[in-house]
Amino acid sequence: MQSSRLTIAEEIILLQLCDEGGAFIHVPNWTNRYAMSGAILMEFAEAGRIDTDLKQLTVINREPLNHPLANNILDTIESEKEIRDIRYWIEYLSDRSDEIRQDALDGLIGKGILECRDSRILWVFKSRKYPILDGKQEREVKLRLMEVLFSDAIPSPRDVILLCLAHATGILNVLLPANELVKLADRVEDIRQLDLIGQSVVNAIRDIEVSLAISTAPLF
């Protein structure tokens, strides 16, 4: 039986869905990879299963979640013998991002929020879309995020997590025009300070971006 509560990965997917047709907004591949690995780690943090500082991410509560994939990943983290920080786990789990994303899509389908359709492009290539069956959840996630950004209210811990991930992975850059993001920069920064693990995820993803940019920069 599917739980009616959405996971953070499921909410990230709803943020990325277009309002009509079930296609996804265009974001770089790394966005999806780190959004999904960050989402599963933030899920553990919200559930009180992990804690992290600058040097180490540790499992502090091994009580199983009602989520087989999450439990498998938590086992992997707990069984690691070496000290690993949050950046390591974001990169490590990005290799399982397709699995995490598909699990989240299956969860949304199982909850009756999305359905899956295969359509053919030029009668050759298949494009999978996920039309929205129940638009209430999709609108509610986006509305929550906008209310957090455009008000002075103190956001819930879940909304802080959502904003941290949307900001770190560039999803906000697609949802809002550049001039609005400039106006909201201080607000975003204030919200980020409310969640220590959210800050760690954002900083780790930024560090990874910088490393990738340096490694792919042309040599003269």
Side-chain angles (χ1 to χ4, degrees):
M1 181 177 179
Q2 288 281 351
S3 168
S4 59
R5 178 183 178 277
L6 297 185
T7 66
I8 295 170
E10 288 168 357
E11 292 198 322
I12 289 291
I13 284 175
L14 291 180
L15 283 180
Q16 293 180 294
L17 273 169
C18 295
D19 290 333
E20 297 179 0
F24 292 97
I25 60 177
H26 178 70
V27 292
N29 181 55
W30 68 263
T31 294
N32 286 323
R33 289 166 59 83
Y34 296 138
M36 291 298 102
S37 59
I40 197 77
L41 291 174
M42 297 294 267
E43 191 78 38
F44 294 148
E46 187 187 40
R49 299 303 193 270
I50 64 170
D51 196 9
T52 187
D53 55 28
L54 293 176
K55 296 183 178 180
Q56 184 175 10
L57 184 150
T58 55
V59 176
I60 58 174
N61 182 349
R62 189 55 196 85
E63 183 181 352
L65 297 164
N66 186 26
H67 190 171
L69 177 60
N71 289 331
N72 176 267
I73 291 173
L74 198 61
D75 284 341
T76 299
I77 295 173
E78 187 180 39
S79 64
E80 174 59 45
K81 302 302 182 184
E82 295 186 39
I83 295 175
R84 303 292 190 181
D85 61 12
I86 197 164
R87 172 177 171 167
Y88 170 86
W89 288 112
I90 287 173
E91 290 190 283
Y92 179 89
L93 294 175
S94 71
D95 288 338
R96 298 185 68 174
S97 61
D98 289 343
E99 184 182 2
I100 297 168
R101 184 176 177 80
Q102 189 58 56
D103 182 75
L105 285 166
D106 291 342
L108 290 167
I109 292 168
K111 293 179 174 78
I113 297 170
L114 300 181
E115 68 175 352
C116 179
R117 293 179 187 169
D118 285 329
S119 59
R120 289 187 178 275
I121 302 175
L122 300 179
W123 299 279
V124 178
F125 302 105
K126 282 191 173 183
S127 173
R128 182 164 291 182
K129 295 185 177 182
Y130 295 85
I132 299 168
L133 295 179
D134 179 1
K136 179 181 177 182
Q137 292 280 7
E138 182 259 353
R139 289 190 298 271
E140 190 261 349
V141 171
K142 291 181 179 178
L143 181 61
R144 275 172 35 217
L145 196 62
M146 294 304 110
E147 286 181 344
V148 166
L149 288 169
F150 289 96
S151 77
D152 295 327
I154 298 175
S156 69
R158 166 62 66 106
D159 290 344
V160 173
I161 288 171
L162 196 63
L163 185 133
C164 285
L165 275 175
H167 178 238
T169 55
I171 293 172
L172 275 186
N173 298 344
V174 181
L175 295 177
L176 291 169
N179 63 320
E180 288 290 351
L181 288 172
V182 171
K183 295 177 185 176
L184 293 167
D186 289 343
R187 174 65 173 165
V188 171
E189 189 60 29
D190 288 343
I191 294 170
R192 278 185 51 206
Q193 302 304 316
L194 297 174
D195 186 272
L196 294 177
I197 292 184
Q199 290 180 54
S200 299
V201 169
V202 170
N203 292 336
I205 291 174
R206 284 181 172 174
D207 287 346
I208 294 167
E209 286 179 3
V210 170
S211 298
L212 289 174
I214 292 173
S215 66
T216 57
L219 298 176
F220 297 99

